[in-house]
Amino acid sequence: MQHLTVDEGGAGQRLDNFLIKVLKGAPKTLVYRIIRSGEVRVNKGRAAADTRLEVGDEVRVPPLRLTEKTENVAPAREFPVLFEDEYLLAINKPAGVAVHGGSGVSHGVIEQLRRARPQAKFLELVHRLDKETSGILLIAKKRGALVALQDYFRHRQAHKTYATLVIGAWPEQKKVIDVALHKYLTAEGERRVKAVAQDDDAGRRSISIVRVVQRYEQYSLLDVTIKTGRTHQIRVHLSHEGHPIVGDDKYGDFALNKQLAKGDARFVRMFLHARYLRLPHPVTGEDLVLEAPIPPDCQALLDTLS
């Protein structure tokens, strides 16, 4: 029998989420079964899965036989740090790494960071980046910071700018894309997004601001600032305008992507990089400005185009 005392890291969490995190390797079905059966007790009483825990609560957990497959254990890994204090961590996420496990990915950034920092009581993703996207990613180190930071994103107090290379000459006068987006699943179960009419009931209004940074013979380097944070927003918006992102394997020019992979730069990723983020600090309220330089592989492609 385990008797767990809730600390600041678990305060405010639902009981089910707390147990899933603490009982590493336990299937979710098992966690919900022991809660429903009353085998889990909070302060000696029965509790529901959605019970919110507070600092000092005692959670009693029955003996469990857990088998954790070693091949699914996330390897410990640190990532380039852009900023860190006792409340939050900002890293420069590489392309090709998921932010968390799931949907066929056994582990991601957050699982690897937790393995690398076993002494950390609390590490949680503030927001998401696509697996193929590189750049600034925020991780909260305290629950209060997580709540405050997510509020900033929700209420558009977080200003995010992405660097991206698109095919063709982006029209100078095209500075705002205000096109609704609809998220759906393909027949194979893959997540996709498409542009729809503004009055489409399934669509959600989505706004991107575009600025041309540099023009090349057949490409345009853009800064895209998003006013809404929809899934695949930049990728679909730019593709919808007839200028897909270089290397995009879902909404891009697949033939051109193959050519670039075999070309001088050997470019094999999507050219989308979260390069700038400005938002208030979750505790001091002061402006926090974060910047991540263009990755070497993206810069090498730009040098080749020059």
Side-chain angles (χ1 to χ4, degrees):
M1 191 74 66
Q2 293 187 68
H3 294 270
L4 308 172
T5 301
V6 178
D7 59 16
E8 187 186 68
Q13 278 194 309
R14 287 169 47 121
L15 175 61
D16 52 357
N17 292 334
F18 174 80
L19 291 176
I20 288 166
K21 184 175 179 181
V22 170
L23 303 175
K24 300 185 187 302
K28 290 184 180 180
T29 52
L30 173 60
V31 170
Y32 287 109
R33 182 176 63 75
I34 61 176
I35 293 174
R36 283 195 305 271
S37 67
E39 295 174 83
V40 174
R41 298 277 172 152
V42 177
N43 299 328
K44 299 182 179 180
R46 292 180 71 118
D50 60 356
T51 298
R52 295 285 176 179
L53 300 175
E54 299 179 4
V55 173
D57 281 351
E58 183 182 273
V59 180
R60 190 194 76 181
V61 184
L64 301 173
R65 188 181 295 275
L66 302 178
T67 56
E68 186 176 56
K69 296 181 179 179
T70 55
E71 64 267 25
N72 289 332
V73 174
R77 181 179 178 183
E78 289 280 0
F79 297 87
V81 174
L82 301 170
F83 174 86
E84 184 171 10
D85 63 11
E86 62 182 301
Y87 304 104
L88 69 109
L89 167 67
I91 65 166
N92 189 359
K93 185 189 87 68
V97 182
V99 295
H100 60 77
S103 299
V105 179
S106 58
H107 53 261
V109 169
I110 193 65
E111 290 87 2
Q112 293 177 77
L113 272 175
R114 286 171 181 158
R115 289 281 294 180
R117 301 181 176 210
Q119 76 287 354
K121 293 183 178 179
F122 187 90
L123 288 175
E124 293 288 347
L125 290 166
V126 174
H127 60 117
R128 306 285 190 267
L129 285 180
D130 287 348
K131 179 181 178 181
E132 300 87 353
T133 304
S134 57
I136 303 167
L137 181 67
L138 294 186
I139 293 99
K141 297 169 71 175
K142 292 183 182 292
R143 179 159 294 280
L146 175 67
V147 173
L149 290 166
Q150 289 182 334
D151 278 345
Y152 296 152
F153 278 88
R154 195 175 296 115
H155 298 112
R156 303 184 187 180
Q157 292 176 269
H159 306 282
K160 296 183 286 184
T161 298
Y162 293 73
T164 185
L165 186 71
V166 299
I167 301 168
W170 185 268
E172 194 68 49
Q173 71 276 12
K174 187 67 179 180
K175 296 180 179 179
V176 179
I177 306 172
D178 186 352
V179 175
L181 298 176
H182 168 56
K183 185 163 59 175
Y184 66 99
L185 291 178
T186 66
E188 295 75 29
E190 291 189 39
R191 182 177 60 176
R192 287 287 190 278
V193 177
K194 63 181 178 181
V196 295
Q198 293 289 16
D199 59 355
D200 191 311
D201 291 339
R204 300 182 71 187
R205 190 179 184 189
S206 308
I207 302 172
S208 303
I209 310 298
V210 182
R211 181 177 71 87
V212 177
V213 176
Q214 179 74 45
R215 294 188 183 279
Y216 300 91
E217 188 175 343
Q218 300 175 38
Y219 305 91
S220 301
L221 179 64
L222 309 176
D223 262 353
V224 181
T225 301
I226 55 174
K227 297 299 183 181
T228 52
R230 311 299 183 207
T231 300
H232 297 173
Q233 176 175 321
I234 296 176
R235 302 166 70 172
V236 177
H237 268 177
L238 299 182
S239 181
H240 176 70
E241 295 296 327
H243 299 275
I245 296 175
V246 167
D248 190 340
D249 64 354
K250 287 185 173 67
Y251 311 100
D253 184 324
F254 309 128
L256 181 63
N257 291 346
K258 285 185 178 181
Q259 289 179 25
L260 289 172
K262 297 176 182 177
D264 293 339
R266 300 280 179 182
F267 194 73
V268 293
R269 57 161 290 190
M270 179 172 66
F271 198 127
L272 184 60
H273 177 69
R275 70 162 193 84
Y276 176 90
L277 175 61
R278 177 171 60 84
L279 75 174
H281 187 280
V283 175
T284 68
E286 295 180 2
D287 247 14
L288 183 62
V289 177
L290 303 167
E291 295 187 70
I294 296 288
D297 52 354
C298 291
Q299 188 59 55
L301 176 59
L302 296 179
D303 293 343
T304 301
L305 297 178
S306 297

